[in-house]
Amino acid sequence: MINEFEIFQNKAIGAHIIWEFSKNYQMHHREKASPSLVEVMPVLPLCLNKRVVSGIKERNFKGGSLLRAIDENKDLFSGLQERMEDMAPLTLQSIYIGAISGLITYD
């Protein structure tokens, strides 16, 4: 039996989330640069966090919702390092899946 964690927090969904983040990062970056690996590592731990997602959803997905959700819930960062370490395998596997599928490139 597959549990809910495995359904919603998997490599394919992670690859898509990282692709969306990278696409928007580059689109809004002054020099159109891509994010570094260090900048990508907190993406899944934040985007797959129920409290962050709820905070964004309550704002009807308006621009800047993620930043406001994080600003209003500063305690989310207290456990971010541990969540990044715990989710590092998923993040790296997601990058790998995205790279071999052609969704993202890693240089």
Side-chain angles (χ1 to χ4, degrees), residues 38-51:
V38 172
E39 293 165 321
V40 170
M41 292 306 289
V43 171
L44 295 184
L46 287 171
C47 291
L48 296 176
N49 182 284
K50 185 177 182 176
R51 287 182 50 217

Side-chain angles (χ1 to χ4, degrees), residues 58-74:
E58 290 169 4
R59 290 173 180 78
N60 299 320
F61 300 101
K62 293 178 183 170
S65 294
L66 176 60
L67 293 175
R68 281 193 296 280
I70 292 169
D71 186 52
E72 291 173 6
N73 298 292
K74 289 181 176 46

Side-chain angles (χ1 to χ4, degrees), residues 71-84:
D71 186 52
E72 291 173 6
N73 298 292
K74 289 181 176 46
D75 62 313
L76 291 173
F77 286 102
S78 63
L80 182 58
Q81 180 65 38
E82 184 178 341
R83 287 195 316 272
M84 284 173 39

Side-chain angles (χ1 to χ4, degrees), residues 1-10 13 48 50:
M1 184 172 154
I2 297 176
N3 67 29
E4 187 176 308
F5 173 82
E6 292 171 340
I7 293 171
F8 291 105
Q9 296 188 3
N10 65 59
I13 291 173
L48 296 176
K50 185 177 182 176

